[in-house]
Amino acid sequence: MSHKGAGPGGWPVVVRVPVEPVEAAVEADARDAAMNSNLLAVRGPLFGVMAQGEADGRCWRVVVEVTHGGPQEARDGLNSLLWFRAKDDTEDRTERRALLAAVARLETERVDELTVLGTRYRVVRADEYTGMDAHGDVEPPRPTDPEPLTPDWDRRTHSPRIDEGLVLGPDTPVSPVQAAERLSLRSFVYTGTRFPARVRRDSERAVESHPDVLLMPALFRIMERSGDEPWSTGSGLHATAHDARRTLDFSLVWWEPRARGLIPRDVLGDIHKPVDARTLVAEGTDPAVEELAVLAEAADRVRAERLNEIEVNGTVSRIGRIRRLLRWGPDGPEGPRPSDLDSQDPCRLHPLLDEDGVIHYEDSEEEDEGGDEDADADATP
C-alpha cells in the first residue's frame, strides 16, 4: 500500500505502509525512537561520491562512501576508483584514456562533478546528526538494527563496507515515520552564532536549491562523556553496531592501557598474541595488573552482554546511532557548498599509468623529484 503526499515546495514523497512483520517491527522501533529521542544534535557535513548512468533514471549510486570529513577526501576516493578501474577493469585503450584523463584532472583541480564514459560522478554533501533524549543522551542502537547471530570479535575480520551498493532516489517508497522525518527536515538550516555567517547563508540557499531531503542508512560510532561534559566522538563511523562494539572492545584493552601509560606504546606483540590488557591480566605478573583488570573486565562485559554503553574510570562510552540527511534538488544530490572547507590540495595518489595499462614507477619518481627541485629553485632568493 502506498500513497503520495506533497510536502513543502511540491516535492512528493512516496509512502509505503509496512505490512510484513519485520518491516512492522522496524517501523515500531522508529516510532518509539521518535518519541524518546525527539531532539537532534547536528555534528556537521560528510562527503562522498555518487554516480548516475544512463539507465539510472532519477537515482544515483554511492561509489565512494559518504563518510569523509572534507570534499577533497571524497575527490581522492574518486581518483582512486577511476585509476584502479583503468588499471584492472578495462582492456580498451580508448576507455582507459578517458579514465586517465579524469584522473589527471582530479590530481590538479578541485573537481566536484565530471562525466566519464557516459557516467556522471558528483561529490555529494550530507549532514550528520543524531537523536537525543530530554537528558541530552545520544540515541543508542535500536533493537531492530542488524546484528550478527554469532558475534565475531576477531580484529582481522573484514567489516561490512559503508554504503556499499546503496542507490538513492526521490521516488523510492519510505515508511510513514521516515516520511515524517524527511518532511520535517526539509526546512533544516544551520542557526546560532557558533556557525559563521557564510555557513548560515549557504545553508539557507540550500533549502531553495535542493528542497527535498533523502535519509541515508544509519551508521554507528562510539560517543564518550566524562562527568557533565558534552558527548564527544570516540571513533570513526561503522556500518553496524557490532562493528562499533568491536572497536570499543579493542579500545578498552589496547588503546586505553597505552594512553594511561600502563603498557609502553612501542610494545605491540602480534596479531596471534597481542600485548594488551587481557593477555597481561591472564599472565598476572605485570605491576599494573589491577588497573589493567578493570579495563579487561569492562571489555569482557561488552562482549558477553553486547553492551551499548559502559562506564570505565569515570568515562561513559556509548554506541551512538548516527543518521545522515542528503539534500536533493531537480538535478539530484547536493554537492559541496562554497563555505565547506578543504584541508588539503589535490595531488597525485598513484604511479603513472599509460593507455596500454603499463605502470611507470620510475617516471613517477622522476617527476616527483623534478617537482621538488623546481620548488626549491622558486624559493631561492
Side-chain angles (χ1 to χ4, degrees), residues 80-114:
S80 290
L81 178 77
L82 297 177
W83 190 89
F84 279 105
R85 182 178 168 189
K87 173 179 172 290
D88 300 326
D89 297 340
T90 183
E91 296 298 328
D92 186 282
R93 295 179 70 192
T94 302
E95 288 187 0
R96 187 177 286 119
R97 193 181 301 123
L99 292 164
L100 293 176
V103 169
R105 287 193 63 193
L106 289 163
E107 290 175 343
T108 58
E109 304 175 38
R110 288 194 168 101
V111 184
D112 291 328
E113 181 162 342
L114 73 168

PDB file of all heavy atoms in Angstrom, residues 80-114:
ATOM      1  N   SER A  80      41.069   7.424  -6.898  1.00  0.00           N
ATOM      2  CA  SER A  80      41.498   6.025  -6.771  1.00  0.00           C
ATOM      3  C   SER A  80      40.539   5.078  -7.492  1.00  0.00           C
ATOM      4  O   SER A  80      40.965   4.109  -8.137  1.00  0.00           O
ATOM      5  CB  SER A  80      41.598   5.645  -5.294  1.00  0.00           C
ATOM      6  OG  SER A  80      42.685   6.299  -4.669  1.00  0.00           O
ATOM      7  N   LEU A  81      39.244   5.350  -7.380  1.00  0.00           N
ATOM      8  CA  LEU A  81      38.254   4.495  -8.039  1.00  0.00           C
ATOM      9  C   LEU A  81      38.497   4.439  -9.540  1.00  0.00           C
ATOM     10  O   LEU A  81      38.526   3.355 -10.149  1.00  0.00           O
ATOM     11  CB  LEU A  81      36.852   5.036  -7.741  1.00  0.00           C
ATOM     12  CG  LEU A  81      35.699   4.283  -8.392  1.00  0.00           C
ATOM     13  CD1 LEU A  81      35.429   2.988  -7.646  1.00  0.00           C
ATOM     14  CD2 LEU A  81      34.438   5.151  -8.413  1.00  0.00           C
ATOM     15  N   LEU A  82      38.706   5.596 -10.162  1.00  0.00           N
ATOM     16  CA  LEU A  82      38.895   5.651 -11.609  1.00  0.00           C
ATOM     17  C   LEU A  82      40.255   5.089 -12.014  1.00  0.00           C
ATOM     18  O   LEU A  82      40.390   4.434 -13.055  1.00  0.00           O
ATOM     19  CB  LEU A  82      38.727   7.092 -12.095  1.00  0.00           C
ATOM     20  CG  LEU A  82      37.338   7.704 -11.870  1.00  0.00           C
ATOM     21  CD1 LEU A  82      37.325   9.155 -12.329  1.00  0.00           C
ATOM     22  CD2 LEU A  82      36.254   6.897 -12.582  1.00  0.00           C
ATOM     23  N   TRP A  83      41.295   5.356 -11.197  1.00  0.00           N
ATOM     24  CA  TRP A  83      42.635   4.837 -11.509  1.00  0.00           C
ATOM     25  C   TRP A  83      42.639   3.312 -11.518  1.00  0.00           C
ATOM     26  O   TRP A  83      43.169   2.686 -12.434  1.00  0.00           O
ATOM     27  CB  TRP A  83      43.652   5.378 -10.514  1.00  0.00           C
ATOM     28  CG  TRP A  83      45.080   5.097 -10.891  1.00  0.00           C
ATOM     29  CD1 TRP A  83      45.895   5.872 -11.660  1.00  0.00           C
ATOM     30  CD2 TRP A  83      45.858   3.948 -10.518  1.00  0.00           C
ATOM     31  NE1 TRP A  83      47.140   5.287 -11.796  1.00  0.00           N
ATOM     32  CE2 TRP A  83      47.143   4.105 -11.104  1.00  0.00           C
ATOM     33  CE3 TRP A  83      45.600   2.817  -9.763  1.00  0.00           C
ATOM     34  CZ2 TRP A  83      48.156   3.160 -10.935  1.00  0.00           C
ATOM     35  CZ3 TRP A  83      46.611   1.867  -9.604  1.00  0.00           C
ATOM     36  CH2 TRP A  83      47.871   2.038 -10.182  1.00  0.00           C
ATOM     37  N   PHE A  84      42.048   2.708 -10.504  1.00  0.00           N
ATOM     38  CA  PHE A  84      42.034   1.243 -10.436  1.00  0.00           C
ATOM     39  C   PHE A  84      41.116   0.648 -11.504  1.00  0.00           C
ATOM     40  O   PHE A  84      41.365  -0.457 -11.995  1.00  0.00           O
ATOM     41  CB  PHE A  84      41.617   0.779  -9.045  1.00  0.00           C
ATOM     42  CG  PHE A  84      42.745   0.803  -8.058  1.00  0.00           C
ATOM     43  CD1 PHE A  84      42.820   1.800  -7.096  1.00  0.00           C
ATOM     44  CD2 PHE A  84      43.747  -0.151  -8.102  1.00  0.00           C
ATOM     45  CE1 PHE A  84      43.873   1.847  -6.194  1.00  0.00           C
ATOM     46  CE2 PHE A  84      44.806  -0.127  -7.202  1.00  0.00           C
ATOM     47  CZ  PHE A  84      44.865   0.879  -6.247  1.00  0.00           C
ATOM     48  N   ARG A  85      40.072   1.383 -11.862  1.00  0.00           N
ATOM     49  CA  ARG A  85      39.232   0.904 -12.960  1.00  0.00           C
ATOM     50  C   ARG A  85      40.043   0.890 -14.254  1.00  0.00           C
ATOM     51  O   ARG A  85      39.948  -0.053 -15.041  1.00  0.00           O
ATOM     52  CB  ARG A  85      38.001   1.796 -13.106  1.00  0.00           C
ATOM     53  CG  ARG A  85      37.052   1.336 -14.199  1.00  0.00           C
ATOM     54  CD  ARG A  85      35.821   2.214 -14.281  1.00  0.00           C
ATOM     55  NE  ARG A  85      35.063   1.942 -15.485  1.00  0.00           N
ATOM     56  CZ  ARG A  85      34.045   2.671 -15.910  1.00  0.00           C
ATOM     57  NH1 ARG A  85      33.653   3.723 -15.196  1.00  0.00           N
ATOM     58  NH2 ARG A  85      33.412   2.374 -17.018  1.00  0.00           N
ATOM     59  N   ALA A  86      40.849   1.945 -14.473  1.00  0.00           N
ATOM     60  CA  ALA A  86      41.701   1.981 -15.668  1.00  0.00           C
ATOM     61  C   ALA A  86      42.751   0.876 -15.627  1.00  0.00           C
ATOM     62  O   ALA A  86      43.098   0.293 -16.659  1.00  0.00           O
ATOM     63  CB  ALA A  86      42.372   3.352 -15.784  1.00  0.00           C
ATOM     64  N   LYS A  87      43.239   0.577 -14.472  1.00  0.00           N
ATOM     65  CA  LYS A  87      44.298  -0.440 -14.339  1.00  0.00           C
ATOM     66  C   LYS A  87      43.751  -1.858 -14.472  1.00  0.00           C
ATOM     67  O   LYS A  87      44.378  -2.711 -15.128  1.00  0.00           O
ATOM     68  CB  LYS A  87      44.977  -0.269 -12.971  1.00  0.00           C
ATOM     69  CG  LYS A  87      45.986  -1.353 -12.599  1.00  0.00           C
ATOM     70  CD  LYS A  87      46.597  -1.050 -11.251  1.00  0.00           C
ATOM     71  CE  LYS A  87      47.475  -2.198 -10.749  1.00  0.00           C
ATOM     72  NZ  LYS A  87      46.689  -3.382 -10.370  1.00  0.00           N
ATOM     73  N   ASP A  88      42.601  -2.135 -13.855  1.00  0.00           N
ATOM     74  CA  ASP A  88      42.158  -3.520 -13.690  1.00  0.00           C
ATOM     75  C   ASP A  88      40.916  -3.909 -14.476  1.00  0.00           C
ATOM     76  O   ASP A  88      40.686  -5.097 -14.710  1.00  0.00           O
ATOM     77  CB  ASP A  88      41.891  -3.808 -12.208  1.00  0.00           C
ATOM     78  CG  ASP A  88      43.120  -3.607 -11.332  1.00  0.00           C
ATOM     79  OD1 ASP A  88      44.226  -3.873 -11.822  1.00  0.00           O
ATOM     80  OD2 ASP A  88      42.958  -3.181 -10.171  1.00  0.00           O
ATOM     81  N   ASP A  89      40.074  -2.939 -14.850  1.00  0.00           N
ATOM     82  CA  ASP A  89      38.732  -3.289 -15.327  1.00  0.00           C
ATOM     83  C   ASP A  89      38.487  -3.040 -16.807  1.00  0.00           C
ATOM     84  O   ASP A  89      37.343  -3.117 -17.251  1.00  0.00           O
ATOM     85  CB  ASP A  89      37.683  -2.532 -14.507  1.00  0.00           C
ATOM     86  CG  ASP A  89      37.706  -2.928 -13.045  1.00  0.00           C
ATOM     87  OD1 ASP A  89      38.230  -4.010 -12.738  1.00  0.00           O
ATOM     88  OD2 ASP A  89      37.205  -2.150 -12.203  1.00  0.00           O
ATOM     89  N   THR A  90      39.502  -2.675 -17.562  1.00  0.00           N
ATOM     90  CA  THR A  90      39.287  -2.482 -18.991  1.00  0.00           C
ATOM     91  C   THR A  90      40.546  -2.859 -19.767  1.00  0.00           C
ATOM     92  O   THR A  90      41.664  -2.702 -19.270  1.00  0.00           O
ATOM     93  CB  THR A  90      38.904  -1.018 -19.296  1.00  0.00           C
ATOM     94  OG1 THR A  90      38.634  -0.896 -20.698  1.00  0.00           O
ATOM     95  CG2 THR A  90      40.023  -0.057 -18.917  1.00  0.00           C
ATOM     96  N   GLU A  91      40.322  -3.366 -20.980  1.00  0.00           N
ATOM     97  CA  GLU A  91      41.422  -3.642 -21.906  1.00  0.00           C
ATOM     98  C   GLU A  91      41.356  -2.709 -23.112  1.00  0.00           C
ATOM     99  O   GLU A  91      42.174  -2.810 -24.022  1.00  0.00           O
ATOM    100  CB  GLU A  91      41.357  -5.107 -22.380  1.00  0.00           C
ATOM    101  CG  GLU A  91      41.559  -6.129 -21.267  1.00  0.00           C
ATOM    102  CD  GLU A  91      42.920  -6.012 -20.606  1.00  0.00           C
ATOM    103  OE1 GLU A  91      43.880  -5.628 -21.306  1.00  0.00           O
ATOM    104  OE2 GLU A  91      43.030  -6.295 -19.403  1.00  0.00           O
ATOM    105  N   ASP A  92      40.364  -1.822 -23.096  1.00  0.00           N
ATOM    106  CA  ASP A  92      40.159  -0.910 -24.207  1.00  0.00           C
ATOM    107  C   ASP A  92      40.980   0.364 -24.003  1.00  0.00           C
ATOM    108  O   ASP A  92      40.823   1.047 -22.989  1.00  0.00           O
ATOM    109  CB  ASP A  92      38.667  -0.577 -24.316  1.00  0.00           C
ATOM    110  CG  ASP A  92      38.343   0.248 -25.538  1.00  0.00           C
ATOM    111  OD1 ASP A  92      38.611   1.469 -25.495  1.00  0.00           O
ATOM    112  OD2 ASP A  92      37.832  -0.307 -26.519  1.00  0.00           O
ATOM    113  N   ARG A  93      41.837   0.682 -24.955  1.00  0.00           N
ATOM    114  CA  ARG A  93      42.710   1.847 -24.801  1.00  0.00           C
ATOM    115  C   ARG A  93      41.914   3.146 -24.755  1.00  0.00           C
ATOM    116  O   ARG A  93      42.264   4.066 -24.018  1.00  0.00           O
ATOM    117  CB  ARG A  93      43.723   1.893 -25.953  1.00  0.00           C
ATOM    118  CG  ARG A  93      44.707   0.736 -25.961  1.00  0.00           C
ATOM    119  CD  ARG A  93      45.648   0.836 -27.139  1.00  0.00           C
ATOM    120  NE  ARG A  93      46.575   1.946 -26.987  1.00  0.00           N
ATOM    121  CZ  ARG A  93      47.346   2.400 -27.971  1.00  0.00           C
ATOM    122  NH1 ARG A  93      47.273   1.856 -29.179  1.00  0.00           N
ATOM    123  NH2 ARG A  93      48.188   3.396 -27.753  1.00  0.00           N
ATOM    124  N   THR A  94      40.841   3.232 -25.545  1.00  0.00           N
ATOM    125  CA  THR A  94      40.026   4.450 -25.552  1.00  0.00           C
ATOM    126  C   THR A  94      39.378   4.672 -24.191  1.00  0.00           C
ATOM    127  O   THR A  94      39.352   5.786 -23.661  1.00  0.00           O
ATOM    128  CB  THR A  94      38.954   4.378 -26.650  1.00  0.00           C
ATOM    129  OG1 THR A  94      39.586   4.193 -27.917  1.00  0.00           O
ATOM    130  CG2 THR A  94      38.132   5.651 -26.681  1.00  0.00           C
ATOM    131  N   GLU A  95      38.837   3.605 -23.612  1.00  0.00           N
ATOM    132  CA  GLU A  95      38.232   3.709 -22.284  1.00  0.00           C
ATOM    133  C   GLU A  95      39.285   4.092 -21.244  1.00  0.00           C
ATOM    134  O   GLU A  95      39.053   4.960 -20.392  1.00  0.00           O
ATOM    135  CB  GLU A  95      37.572   2.388 -21.888  1.00  0.00           C
ATOM    136  CG  GLU A  95      36.304   2.079 -22.646  1.00  0.00           C
ATOM    137  CD  GLU A  95      35.607   0.849 -22.105  1.00  0.00           C
ATOM    138  OE1 GLU A  95      36.130   0.244 -21.133  1.00  0.00           O
ATOM    139  OE2 GLU A  95      34.541   0.489 -22.645  1.00  0.00           O
ATOM    140  N   ARG A  96      40.441   3.428 -21.332  1.00  0.00           N
ATOM    141  CA  ARG A  96      41.488   3.725 -20.358  1.00  0.00           C
ATOM    142  C   ARG A  96      41.954   5.173 -20.483  1.00  0.00           C
ATOM    143  O   ARG A  96      42.202   5.847 -19.485  1.00  0.00           O
ATOM    144  CB  ARG A  96      42.653   2.754 -20.525  1.00  0.00           C
ATOM    145  CG  ARG A  96      43.702   2.900 -19.412  1.00  0.00           C
ATOM    146  CD  ARG A  96      44.816   1.884 -19.566  1.00  0.00           C
ATOM    147  NE  ARG A  96      44.386   0.550 -19.203  1.00  0.00           N
ATOM    148  CZ  ARG A  96      44.381  -0.486 -20.037  1.00  0.00           C
ATOM    149  NH1 ARG A  96      44.757  -0.320 -21.297  1.00  0.00           N
ATOM    150  NH2 ARG A  96      43.989  -1.672 -19.627  1.00  0.00           N
ATOM    151  N   ARG A  97      42.039   5.670 -21.703  1.00  0.00           N
ATOM    152  CA  ARG A  97      42.458   7.052 -21.929  1.00  0.00           C
ATOM    153  C   ARG A  97      41.467   8.026 -21.289  1.00  0.00           C
ATOM    154  O   ARG A  97      41.864   9.014 -20.667  1.00  0.00           O
ATOM    155  CB  ARG A  97      42.590   7.313 -23.427  1.00  0.00           C
ATOM    156  CG  ARG A  97      43.306   8.608 -23.777  1.00  0.00           C
ATOM    157  CD  ARG A  97      43.370   8.810 -25.281  1.00  0.00           C
ATOM    158  NE  ARG A  97      44.065   7.706 -25.928  1.00  0.00           N
ATOM    159  CZ  ARG A  97      43.538   6.957 -26.889  1.00  0.00           C
ATOM    160  NH1 ARG A  97      42.299   7.177 -27.309  1.00  0.00           N
ATOM    161  NH2 ARG A  97      44.241   5.988 -27.420  1.00  0.00           N
ATOM    162  N   ALA A  98      40.176   7.742 -21.418  1.00  0.00           N
ATOM    163  CA  ALA A  98      39.153   8.610 -20.830  1.00  0.00           C
ATOM    164  C   ALA A  98      39.223   8.593 -19.301  1.00  0.00           C
ATOM    165  O   ALA A  98      39.105   9.630 -18.641  1.00  0.00           O
ATOM    166  CB  ALA A  98      37.768   8.183 -21.308  1.00  0.00           C
ATOM    167  N   LEU A  99      39.435   7.408 -18.741  1.00  0.00           N
ATOM    168  CA  LEU A  99      39.541   7.294 -17.278  1.00  0.00           C
ATOM    169  C   LEU A  99      40.762   8.037 -16.764  1.00  0.00           C
ATOM    170  O   LEU A  99      40.695   8.759 -15.756  1.00  0.00           O
ATOM    171  CB  LEU A  99      39.609   5.819 -16.879  1.00  0.00           C
ATOM    172  CG  LEU A  99      38.334   5.003 -17.105  1.00  0.00           C
ATOM    173  CD1 LEU A  99      38.628   3.511 -17.054  1.00  0.00           C
ATOM    174  CD2 LEU A  99      37.272   5.374 -16.073  1.00  0.00           C
ATOM    175  N   LEU A 100      41.885   7.896 -17.460  1.00  0.00           N
ATOM    176  CA  LEU A 100      43.115   8.545 -17.012  1.00  0.00           C
ATOM    177  C   LEU A 100      43.045  10.063 -17.190  1.00  0.00           C
ATOM    178  O   LEU A 100      43.665  10.804 -16.426  1.00  0.00           O
ATOM    179  CB  LEU A 100      44.315   7.971 -17.763  1.00  0.00           C
ATOM    180  CG  LEU A 100      44.619   6.502 -17.451  1.00  0.00           C
ATOM    181  CD1 LEU A 100      45.768   5.995 -18.319  1.00  0.00           C
ATOM    182  CD2 LEU A 100      44.953   6.319 -15.969  1.00  0.00           C
ATOM    183  N   ALA A 101      42.299  10.535 -18.179  1.00  0.00           N
ATOM    184  CA  ALA A 101      42.114  11.979 -18.337  1.00  0.00           C
ATOM    185  C   ALA A 101      41.353  12.542 -17.134  1.00  0.00           C
ATOM    186  O   ALA A 101      41.670  13.629 -16.633  1.00  0.00           O
ATOM    187  CB  ALA A 101      41.363  12.277 -19.630  1.00  0.00           C
ATOM    188  N   ALA A 102      40.359  11.799 -16.657  1.00  0.00           N
ATOM    189  CA  ALA A 102      39.630  12.228 -15.465  1.00  0.00           C
ATOM    190  C   ALA A 102      40.535  12.204 -14.239  1.00  0.00           C
ATOM    191  O   ALA A 102      40.491  13.120 -13.398  1.00  0.00           O
ATOM    192  CB  ALA A 102      38.408  11.330 -15.247  1.00  0.00           C
ATOM    193  N   VAL A 103      41.363  11.164 -14.125  1.00  0.00           N
ATOM    194  CA  VAL A 103      42.309  11.090 -13.009  1.00  0.00           C
ATOM    195  C   VAL A 103      43.253  12.280 -13.031  1.00  0.00           C
ATOM    196  O   VAL A 103      43.542  12.888 -11.993  1.00  0.00           O
ATOM    197  CB  VAL A 103      43.097   9.763 -13.066  1.00  0.00           C
ATOM    198  CG1 VAL A 103      44.269   9.785 -12.082  1.00  0.00           C
ATOM    199  CG2 VAL A 103      42.180   8.586 -12.766  1.00  0.00           C
ATOM    200  N   ALA A 104      43.741  12.646 -14.209  1.00  0.00           N
ATOM    201  CA  ALA A 104      44.662  13.782 -14.327  1.00  0.00           C
ATOM    202  C   ALA A 104      44.017  15.075 -13.841  1.00  0.00           C
ATOM    203  O   ALA A 104      44.664  15.894 -13.183  1.00  0.00           O
ATOM    204  CB  ALA A 104      45.119  13.923 -15.775  1.00  0.00           C
ATOM    205  N   ARG A 105      42.745  15.262 -14.139  1.00  0.00           N
ATOM    206  CA  ARG A 105      42.057  16.461 -13.644  1.00  0.00           C
ATOM    207  C   ARG A 105      41.934  16.437 -12.125  1.00  0.00           C
ATOM    208  O   ARG A 105      42.150  17.443 -11.452  1.00  0.00           O
ATOM    209  CB  ARG A 105      40.662  16.570 -14.264  1.00  0.00           C
ATOM    210  CG  ARG A 105      40.620  16.975 -15.719  1.00  0.00           C
ATOM    211  CD  ARG A 105      39.208  17.347 -16.116  1.00  0.00           C
ATOM    212  NE  ARG A 105      38.732  18.519 -15.369  1.00  0.00           N
ATOM    213  CZ  ARG A 105      37.460  18.916 -15.338  1.00  0.00           C
ATOM    214  NH1 ARG A 105      36.528  18.213 -15.978  1.00  0.00           N
ATOM    215  NH2 ARG A 105      37.107  19.992 -14.654  1.00  0.00           N
ATOM    216  N   LEU A 106      41.605  15.264 -11.590  1.00  0.00           N
ATOM    217  CA  LEU A 106      41.431  15.159 -10.146  1.00  0.00           C
ATOM    218  C   LEU A 106      42.745  15.335  -9.390  1.00  0.00           C
ATOM    219  O   LEU A 106      42.739  15.659  -8.206  1.00  0.00           O
ATOM    220  CB  LEU A 106      40.801  13.802  -9.796  1.00  0.00           C
ATOM    221  CG  LEU A 106      39.328  13.654 -10.182  1.00  0.00           C
ATOM    222  CD1 LEU A 106      38.916  12.189 -10.195  1.00  0.00           C
ATOM    223  CD2 LEU A 106      38.443  14.446  -9.222  1.00  0.00           C
ATOM    224  N   GLU A 107      43.863  15.122 -10.069  1.00  0.00           N
ATOM    225  CA  GLU A 107      45.168  15.316  -9.431  1.00  0.00           C
ATOM    226  C   GLU A 107      45.541  16.790  -9.299  1.00  0.00           C
ATOM    227  O   GLU A 107      46.411  17.139  -8.492  1.00  0.00           O
ATOM    228  CB  GLU A 107      46.247  14.591 -10.237  1.00  0.00           C
ATOM    229  CG  GLU A 107      46.164  13.074 -10.157  1.00  0.00           C
ATOM    230  CD  GLU A 107      47.175  12.391 -11.052  1.00  0.00           C
ATOM    231  OE1 GLU A 107      47.723  13.061 -11.965  1.00  0.00           O
ATOM    232  OE2 GLU A 107      47.427  11.188 -10.853  1.00  0.00           O
ATOM    233  N   THR A 108      44.893  17.655 -10.076  1.00  0.00           N
ATOM    234  CA  THR A 108      45.299  19.063 -10.104  1.00  0.00           C
ATOM    235  C   THR A 108      44.169  20.048  -9.847  1.00  0.00           C
ATOM    236  O   THR A 108      44.424  21.213  -9.580  1.00  0.00           O
ATOM    237  CB  THR A 108      45.926  19.400 -11.472  1.00  0.00           C
ATOM    238  OG1 THR A 108      44.970  19.120 -12.513  1.00  0.00           O
ATOM    239  CG2 THR A 108      47.185  18.579 -11.709  1.00  0.00           C
ATOM    240  N   GLU A 109      42.912  19.599  -9.939  1.00  0.00           N
ATOM    241  CA  GLU A 109      41.776  20.509  -9.799  1.00  0.00           C
ATOM    242  C   GLU A 109      40.829  20.019  -8.711  1.00  0.00           C
ATOM    243  O   GLU A 109      40.724  18.821  -8.452  1.00  0.00           O
ATOM    244  CB  GLU A 109      40.993  20.606 -11.110  1.00  0.00           C
ATOM    245  CG  GLU A 109      41.785  21.030 -12.322  1.00  0.00           C
ATOM    246  CD  GLU A 109      40.919  20.977 -13.572  1.00  0.00           C
ATOM    247  OE1 GLU A 109      39.722  21.324 -13.495  1.00  0.00           O
ATOM    248  OE2 GLU A 109      41.441  20.571 -14.636  1.00  0.00           O
ATOM    249  N   ARG A 110      40.127  20.963  -8.124  1.00  0.00           N
ATOM    250  CA  ARG A 110      39.052  20.619  -7.186  1.00  0.00           C
ATOM    251  C   ARG A 110      37.770  20.419  -7.993  1.00  0.00           C
ATOM    252  O   ARG A 110      36.922  21.298  -8.081  1.00  0.00           O
ATOM    253  CB  ARG A 110      38.894  21.707  -6.129  1.00  0.00           C
ATOM    254  CG  ARG A 110      40.033  21.739  -5.114  1.00  0.00           C
ATOM    255  CD  ARG A 110      39.653  22.581  -3.907  1.00  0.00           C
ATOM    256  NE  ARG A 110      40.605  22.393  -2.825  1.00  0.00           N
ATOM    257  CZ  ARG A 110      41.576  23.236  -2.516  1.00  0.00           C
ATOM    258  NH1 ARG A 110      41.729  24.341  -3.224  1.00  0.00           N
ATOM    259  NH2 ARG A 110      42.401  23.000  -1.513  1.00  0.00           N
ATOM    260  N   VAL A 111      37.652  19.259  -8.570  1.00  0.00           N
ATOM    261  CA  VAL A 111      36.524  18.944  -9.449  1.00  0.00           C
ATOM    262  C   VAL A 111      35.422  18.287  -8.624  1.00  0.00           C
ATOM    263  O   VAL A 111      35.651  17.247  -7.996  1.00  0.00           O
ATOM    264  CB  VAL A 111      36.967  17.991 -10.577  1.00  0.00           C
ATOM    265  CG1 VAL A 111      35.815  17.749 -11.538  1.00  0.00           C
ATOM    266  CG2 VAL A 111      38.167  18.564 -11.316  1.00  0.00           C
ATOM    267  N   ASP A 112      34.235  18.873  -8.637  1.00  0.00           N
ATOM    268  CA  ASP A 112      33.126  18.307  -7.881  1.00  0.00           C
ATOM    269  C   ASP A 112      32.156  17.522  -8.747  1.00  0.00           C
ATOM    270  O   ASP A 112      31.269  16.848  -8.218  1.00  0.00           O
ATOM    271  CB  ASP A 112      32.370  19.417  -7.139  1.00  0.00           C
ATOM    272  CG  ASP A 112      33.194  20.000  -6.013  1.00  0.00           C
ATOM    273  OD1 ASP A 112      33.991  19.256  -5.423  1.00  0.00           O
ATOM    274  OD2 ASP A 112      33.057  21.205  -5.722  1.00  0.00           O
ATOM    275  N   GLU A 113      32.301  17.617 -10.059  1.00  0.00           N
ATOM    276  CA  GLU A 113      31.465  16.812 -10.951  1.00  0.00           C
ATOM    277  C   GLU A 113      32.187  16.627 -12.279  1.00  0.00           C
ATOM    278  O   GLU A 113      32.790  17.569 -12.808  1.00  0.00           O
ATOM    279  CB  GLU A 113      30.100  17.464 -11.178  1.00  0.00           C
ATOM    280  CG  GLU A 113      29.206  16.634 -12.079  1.00  0.00           C
ATOM    281  CD  GLU A 113      27.733  17.003 -11.992  1.00  0.00           C
ATOM    282  OE1 GLU A 113      27.339  17.664 -11.008  1.00  0.00           O
ATOM    283  OE2 GLU A 113      26.979  16.611 -12.903  1.00  0.00           O
ATOM    284  N   LEU A 114      32.119  15.419 -12.805  1.00  0.00           N
ATOM    285  CA  LEU A 114      32.654  15.146 -14.127  1.00  0.00           C
ATOM    286  C   LEU A 114      31.955  13.923 -14.698  1.00  0.00           C
ATOM    287  O   LEU A 114      31.404  13.100 -13.961  1.00  0.00           O
ATOM    288  CB  LEU A 114      34.169  14.966 -14.100  1.00  0.00           C
ATOM    289  CG  LEU A 114      34.782  13.702 -13.504  1.00  0.00           C
ATOM    290  CD1 LEU A 114      36.258  13.632 -13.866  1.00  0.00           C
ATOM    291  CD2 LEU A 114      34.649  13.693 -11.981  1.00  0.00           C
TER     292      LEU A 114
END
